[in-house]
Amino acid sequence: MEGPTPISALIHAATMVTAGIFMVTRMSPLFELSDTALSFVMVIGAITALFMGFLGLIQNDIKRVVAYSTLSQLGYMTVALGASAYPVAVFHLMTHAFFKALLFLGAGSVIMGMHHDQDIRHMGGLRKYMPITWITSLVGSLALIGTPFFSGFYSKDSIIEAVAESHLAGSGFAYFAVVAGVFVTAFYSFRMYFLVFHGKERWRELAHDHHGHDDHGHHHGLGPHDDPHESPWVVTLPLVLLAIPSVVIGYLAIEPMLYGSFFGSSIVISEQHHGLSEMAEGFHGAAAMAVHGFTSLPFALALSGVLLSAWFYLKRPDIPAAIKARFAGIHRILENKYGFDDFNQWFFANGARALGGQLWQRGDRALIDGVMVNGTAGLVGRIAGQVRRGQTGFVYTYAFTMIIGVVALLGLWLSL
């Protein structure tokens, strides 16, 4: 997440990371031919949705929390693809683009207000200093966790419903993962929200301790007399403009996108996968769906995730610290991202370098340079060395050679 925040918002919310979702959707005629392929897609998506959410729980960099949240939501979209609910996947792709771009830009606004400190452990109480960033980030977080009437609710609940209707192998596990993911998402989203905007103003203590300097003496974060400040309108206006669709776009778009003819013939769903048509029968309008959402299991889990994070991070910050100490091994696994980065480094990066080294040693140096280029030159040189022995420059050598040649020709002619 080292890039500039507007780039993060563009790449991690809307365009690049979701390109694969678009691709699978467009290839729906191909995927529909194989239940095995769909099951595989669904299980991979389910693992991603849950286990990337776990990584969001322990991140302290404000942008990394949002980035892992994107990976988790990509898992949700992939699960929808596996359940043959392609329109639902694209619908979530669209709603997610708004509220996730909002969260990224909100994070950028906070970073600016904090004088470029990105550590959420150094924040707190920013609500009264950055009111626009606070309220828009709250809207984005509510949309992300699937609060009824917000845009994220319509797409996320449709995904959970689509998985519940699916009869493919692995759909039971996928259903468990996406439902458990609702709690995890709510917990890490509001962990970030409460640590940044509510509670003690930890930057004040930090500023007095460090006088605005880190270990190397560089100016970093807020000085002892700095207060965080609201960002200029060029930052807050996009936040407001993104907050509006984060609330209303799901309500407006669910009917045409999922149950209307919005996609036309660009998505093909075979007849034996009838999850979406079963959902259509149970759909009685966006408002009814949201009202019913308040009684659903995902809402209860999201609410409990929010309440638990409020209790942990506003009332009892000693509990997360105790859990971290108690489960240090699990924390280390999450810190190391399940070892995938190390494995990729060891296997792919080092493996590619080792392979390249062998190809260079054996292929480039030994075969191409040694045999083909220098070998050809050496062979010509050796042949020339042998031929050169016959070229003495003495007339009698040549005369003797000609006489032997004539005798040999005569012998050949006589024998024929």
Side-chain angles (χ1 to χ4, degrees):
M1 296 314 300
E2 279 67 21
T5 309
I7 305 301
S8 303
L10 187 66
I11 289 179
H12 276 257
T15 50
M16 191 184 81
V17 294
T18 50
I21 306 298
F22 174 79
M23 182 196 76
V24 177
T25 304
R26 289 295 279 139
M27 293 176 74
S28 59
L30 203 57
F31 279 87
E32 285 300 292
L33 298 175
S34 168
D35 282 3
T36 312
L38 288 171
S39 284
F40 183 75
V41 170
M42 192 193 294
V43 170
I44 294 287
I47 294 169
T48 306
L50 189 55
F51 285 86
M52 292 298 122
F54 289 149
L55 292 185
L57 295 172
I58 58 129
Q59 298 299 325
N60 295 313
D61 181 315
I62 184 167
K63 279 173 69 180
R64 281 181 186 228
V65 178
V66 189
Y68 280 111
S69 156
T70 298
L71 288 182
S72 179
Q73 296 307 304
L74 274 176
Y76 273 89
M77 295 174 211
T78 310
V79 166
L81 296 172
S84 286
Y86 306 98
V88 182
V90 178
F91 180 43
H92 192 51
L93 187 157
M94 184 269 293
T95 59
H96 169 261
F98 287 110
F99 59 75
K100 191 53 62 72
L102 169 60
L103 285 169
F104 266 118
L105 294 178
S109 178
V110 168
I111 292 166
M112 284 169 68
M114 289 296 297
H115 296 252
H116 300 278
D117 187 354
Q118 295 186 207
D119 195 323
I120 56 177
R121 293 169 299 185
H122 301 165
M123 299 177 190
L126 295 186
R127 175 185 157 185
K128 67 174 192 238
Y129 301 97
M130 308 180 74
I132 301 174
T133 305
W134 162 67
I135 194 75
T136 50
S137 296
L138 177 60
V139 167
S141 299
L142 288 171
L144 169 62
I145 68 168
T147 313
F149 289 105
F150 285 77
S151 63
F153 160 77
Y154 289 102
S155 51
K156 206 167 178 180
D157 257 44
S158 298
I159 291 174
I160 294 170
E161 220 174 303
V163 181
E165 298 285 2
S166 174
H167 309 298
L168 291 176
S171 58
F173 165 70
Y175 181 74
F176 163 76
V178 292
V179 170
V182 170
F183 173 80
V184 176
T185 304
F187 188 82
Y188 69 66
S189 303
F190 276 83
R191 166 183 177 259
M192 179 177 86
Y193 170 77
F194 290 131
L195 282 175
V196 172
F197 294 106
H198 293 271
K200 286 210 307 269
E201 298 178 354
R202 289 182 297 279
W203 41 268
R204 216 177 270 288
E205 304 154 22
L206 205 78
H208 283 290
D209 290 348
H210 291 295
H211 299 296
H213 292 269
D214 64 17
D215 306 340
H216 305 290
H218 302 305
H219 188 78
H220 191 69
L222 298 163
H225 309 297
D226 294 336
D227 274 348
H229 54 84
E230 184 59 276
S231 302
W233 70 268
V234 72
V235 176
T236 53
L237 180 65
L239 293 179
V240 175
L241 293 178
L242 284 166
I244 296 163
S246 295
V247 180
V248 301
I249 198 82
Y251 185 93
L252 300 174
I254 182 166
E255 200 152 348
M257 281 186 80
L258 300 197
Y259 310 115
S261 55
F262 181 83
F263 291 105
S265 59
S266 57
I267 291 177
V268 175
I269 301 174
S270 64
E271 284 173 16
Q272 74 265 27
H273 301 142
H274 37 70
L276 208 57
S277 50
E278 284 174 30
M279 284 164 63
E281 286 165 25
F283 181 74
H284 304 298
M289 179 179 170
V291 171
H292 176 262
F294 285 112
T295 64
S296 67
L297 173 65
F299 178 72
L301 285 169
L303 186 63
S304 54
V306 173
L307 294 175
L308 190 68
S309 66
W311 185 56
F312 272 15
Y313 293 101
L314 296 181
K315 294 273 185 288
R316 296 291 304 275
D318 55 308
I319 297 179
I323 292 172
K324 180 180 168 181
R326 179 83 183 74
F327 297 102
I330 295 174
H331 187 270
R332 208 165 30 252
I333 290 170
L334 293 175
E335 198 89 275
N336 293 331
K337 311 179 187 74
Y338 309 115
F340 278 122
D341 281 8
D342 298 337
F343 174 77
N344 289 346
Q345 181 65 37
W346 170 77
F347 185 79
F348 291 108
N350 294 354
R353 283 172 59 190
L355 181 65
Q358 289 298 320
L359 288 172
W360 167 66
Q361 284 279 11
R362 298 191 179 169
D364 227 29
R365 282 177 67 174
L367 186 67
I368 296 173
D369 289 352
V371 176
M372 292 159 113
V373 179
N374 299 342
T376 315
L379 183 65
V380 170
R382 280 197 296 280
I383 294 169
Q386 295 302 322
V387 171
R388 195 184 298 127
R389 290 183 172 180
Q391 306 289 334
T392 61
F394 296 120
V395 174
Y396 60 78
T397 311
Y398 299 140
F400 181 64
T401 307
M402 284 165 67
I403 290 165
I404 287 176
V406 169
V407 170
L409 281 170
L410 276 171
L412 190 65
W413 182 60
L414 288 171
S415 67
L416 292 171

